[in-house]
Amino acid sequence: MKVLLINGSPRERGNTFRALQEVATTLNQEGVDTEIISIGKQAVQGCIACGMCGREGRCVFRDDLYGKVLRAVRDGIDGLVVGSPVYYGGPNGSLCALLDRVFYSLGPALQYKPGACVVVCRRGGASASFDRLNKYFTILNMPVVSSQYWNMAYGQTPGQVEQDEEGMQTMRTLGRNMAWMVKRLASTPAELPAQEQHVWTNFVR
């Protein structure tokens, strides 16, 4: 079993990474493999709604960042955790640019995989960012893994998030809950729910 974690901060070893690391360490202790992919500092291409991924099964842009996520998903993951710092009351725009492409192009491979998000902020905007990121999971039939509190932690300078003891405990609880869910799904495989043919309703005629 494996869970992919995406670090949506340009600071590869900052507070968002540290929060995700706490989740990953707990997953490892529970016998679940993990991989953390960081978006880095390079500009991230956003989706241009060309629709070509529907034909090719992947985004037409061949950047390394998307390629890393693509390979991880195609190699087989059992769960996904997305982490982001809070910028102006929302997730990092570069992260959202990547997730728009990933969720649109790799939707069939992500459906019914447990998902969770983690947000880190100095002071405010955590709830709004948490809500924004959870929307990616709930559009793809992905069970959302919860914790003892909303998955948020506080810190500004690198490493400061470790002083948020409740936040770190929330990350560990999230890791245990994610491990529990992926193990339960693996041990009791069942048929996926029946799906109706998708209905698209447009309100402009």
Side-chain angles (χ1 to χ4, degrees), residues 83-96:
S84 178
V86 175
Y87 292 166
Y88 289 94
N92 181 3
S94 294
L95 172 65
C96 291

Side-chain angles (χ1 to χ4, degrees), residues 2-203:
K2 181 177 179 180
V3 171
L4 173 65
L5 300 95
I6 299 177
N7 175 15
S9 171
R11 295 187 174 95
E12 191 170 349
R13 299 279 172 173
N15 287 314
T16 302
F17 171 80
R18 182 63 191 88
L20 288 172
Q21 187 182 48
E22 196 77 358
V23 178
T25 298
T26 305
L27 283 164
N28 296 157
Q29 292 170 350
E30 295 290 328
V32 178
D33 292 332
T34 57
E35 178 183 0
I36 299 179
I37 294 176
S38 294
I39 64 169
K41 293 182 171 65
Q42 299 300 313
V44 179
Q45 173 66 52
C47 178
I48 61 170
C50 66
M52 290 300 294
C53 59
R55 302 181 195 176
E56 298 190 9
R58 59 155 296 152
C59 181
V60 294
F61 296 110
R62 305 281 168 166
D63 54 287
D64 291 340
L65 176 58
Y66 176 89
K68 289 178 183 178
V69 177
L70 173 69
R71 287 189 291 275
V73 172
R74 285 188 173 172
D75 286 346
I77 60 171
D78 299 284
L80 175 66
V81 180
V82 176
S84 178
V86 175
Y87 292 166
Y88 289 94
N92 181 3
S94 294
L95 172 65
C96 291
L98 172 67
L99 295 180
D100 286 352
R101 293 164 59 204
V102 167
F103 277 74
Y104 196 64
S105 63
L106 304 179
L110 292 173
Q111 284 200 93
Y112 299 104
K113 306 288 187 184
C117 64
V118 166
V119 294
V120 176
C121 69
R122 181 192 69 85
R123 185 169 178 85
S127 295
S129 301
F130 184 69
D131 173 68
R132 171 74 173 86
L133 291 174
N134 275 320
K135 286 182 170 66
Y136 284 102
F137 311 127
T138 56
I139 202 171
L140 282 182
N141 300 301
M142 297 174 70
V144 177
V145 182
S146 61
S147 185
Q148 65 188 33
Y149 193 75
W150 299 304
N151 308 330
M152 55 186 68
Y154 290 81
Q156 181 178 18
T157 58
Q160 197 173 50
V161 74
E162 295 180 8
Q163 298 176 40
D164 181 2
E165 295 182 9
E166 183 179 359
M168 290 293 97
Q169 186 180 64
T170 298
M171 299 304 127
R172 293 191 295 273
T173 302
L174 174 61
R176 285 190 290 271
N177 289 349
M178 174 67 81
W180 177 82
M181 186 174 288
V182 297
K183 287 179 181 179
R184 293 287 292 182
L185 290 172
S187 64
T188 56
E191 292 184 10
L192 296 178
Q195 294 189 26
E196 299 180 20
Q197 183 175 354
H198 204 119
V199 176
W200 300 97
T201 302
N202 299 319
F203 295 96

